[in-house]
């Protein structure tokens, strides 16, 4: 038997707040930073000018720092730069 791919389902705000209240604040902050960084990384496509390349590298470094915190708490929380929305 093969596992079917999971489909992201929105959760109510109260459920998200309950889940968030069980996690340390620094982990929640890292999750927010990682999500924003992955959106920034995915924004850049095609040939990049030097300024865009520098911005992308900065976003990747923010993502790496946030993923380090997330992985220390739970490796399953790490966010990859090629995550589709």
């Amino acid at each position: 038997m093969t596992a079917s791919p999971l489909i992201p389902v929105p959760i109510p705000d109260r459920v998200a707040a309950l889940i968030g209240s069980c996690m340390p604040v620094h982990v929640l902050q890292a999750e927010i930073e990682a999500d924003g960084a992955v959106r920034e990384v995915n924004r850049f496509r095609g040939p990049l000018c030097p300024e865009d390349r520098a911005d992308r590298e900065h976003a990747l470094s923010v993502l790496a720092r946030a993923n380090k915190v997330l992985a220390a708490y739970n490796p399953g929380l790490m966010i990859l730069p090629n995550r589709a929305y």
Side-chain angles (χ1 to χ4, degrees):
M1 181 156 115
T2 60
S4 61
L6 296 176
I7 299 170
V9 178
I11 58 173
D13 289 340
R14 286 186 179 191
V15 174
L18 182 61
I19 293 169
S21 69
C22 298
M23 296 172 68
V25 174
H26 72 280
V27 174
L28 290 174
Q29 184 63 35
E31 190 173 11
I32 292 168
E33 288 175 4
D35 189 52
V38 102
R39 288 177 191 269
E40 184 73 14
V41 167
N42 289 337
R43 187 174 66 87
F44 297 105
R45 297 278 183 233
L48 301 175
C49 68
E51 293 84 14
D52 287 347
R53 202 171 312 128
D55 289 344
R56 185 175 187 275
E57 290 299 320
H58 180 268
L60 284 171
S61 69
V62 170
L63 178 61
R65 278 193 305 266
N67 272 339
K68 188 174 180 179
V69 173
L70 294 173
Y73 183 74
N74 180 352
L77 293 176
M78 290 177 50
I79 300 176
L80 302 176
N82 57 0
R83 186 174 93 176
Y85 284 95

